Amino acid sequence: MLPVTWDTVRLSLHVLGATIWVGGQITLLYLLSTVRELDAGAPAVVARRFNQIAWAGFALLLVTGVWHLLVIGVGDRTTAYHVTLVIKLLVVAASGCGVAVHIIGRSKVALAIGGALGLLGALAALFFGVLLHG
Ligand code: HEM
């Protein structure tokens, strides 16, 4: 078997965080209409429950993301890598802020724009993450 290294642990935890934050949003969105058919108040209860695991996934991404930056020698990377990293961190911030606006927002506009930014930012972060890993 190939040797298991700290890189294996670091990337596995980062990808686990991404599966929860990105995959969780997609799954919740897909199930929402069915949950609403069960009980008009159920989506809010389910969403509040989802928030707990979702933010835990986001926190795991932040911690392992910083771990990445500490061990991959960012200073020795190319300008193209730095540009990609900055774009990635911007879409990560957009995703986190979008979901926060979606949770605290009371207007339909805040819910819609926040939710869309949260998911699109998460998908973009995933894409740029794979691009960074090369
Ligand atoms: C929504 C949040 C995030 C998502 C969905 C995400 C997703 C990913 C994915 C899927 C990879 C590729 C892993 C692989 O190819 O094995 C990756 C790599 C990476 N991510 Fe993230 N990430 C997020 C947040 C962050 C944050 C906050 C940071 C920095 C503080 C970060 C820094 C990196 C770096 C440097 C790599 C390349 C790691 C390497 O080459 O070893 N990510 N990310």
Side-chain angles (χ1 to χ4, degrees):
M1 195 183 87
L2 292 171
V4 175
T5 65
W6 279 112
D7 283 359
T8 319
V9 175
R10 174 173 56 84
L11 278 163
S12 300
L13 289 175
H14 200 67
V15 170
L16 174 63
T19 61
I20 296 169
W21 183 254
V22 185
Q25 289 184 57
I26 294 170
T27 307
L28 185 69
L29 197 58
Y30 184 77
L31 294 176
L32 219 49
S33 56
T34 307
V35 171
R36 191 172 288 116
E37 281 166 20
L38 298 175
D39 181 292
V45 177
V46 170
R48 269 198 299 277
R49 189 74 172 144
F50 170 68
N51 287 339
Q52 295 166 2
I53 189 78
W55 287 115
F58 196 72
L60 183 59
L61 282 160
L62 293 180
V63 170
T64 52
V66 171
W67 185 4
H68 288 330
L69 299 182
L70 294 174
V71 300
I72 61 171
V74 175
D76 310 329
R77 301 284 179 142
T78 62
T79 305
Y81 188 95
H82 293 152
V83 170
T84 309
L85 181 60
V86 169
I87 295 171
K88 172 166 180 167
L89 295 178
L90 288 174
V91 293
V92 168
S95 182
C97 296
V99 171
V101 167
H102 180 77
I103 294 170
I104 59 180
R106 289 290 163 262
S107 70
K108 281 200 173 351
V109 175
L111 281 179
I113 295 177
L117 201 57
L119 181 55
L120 294 176
L123 291 168
L126 184 152
F127 175 79
F128 286 106
V130 172
L131 195 56
L132 284 172
H133 187 54

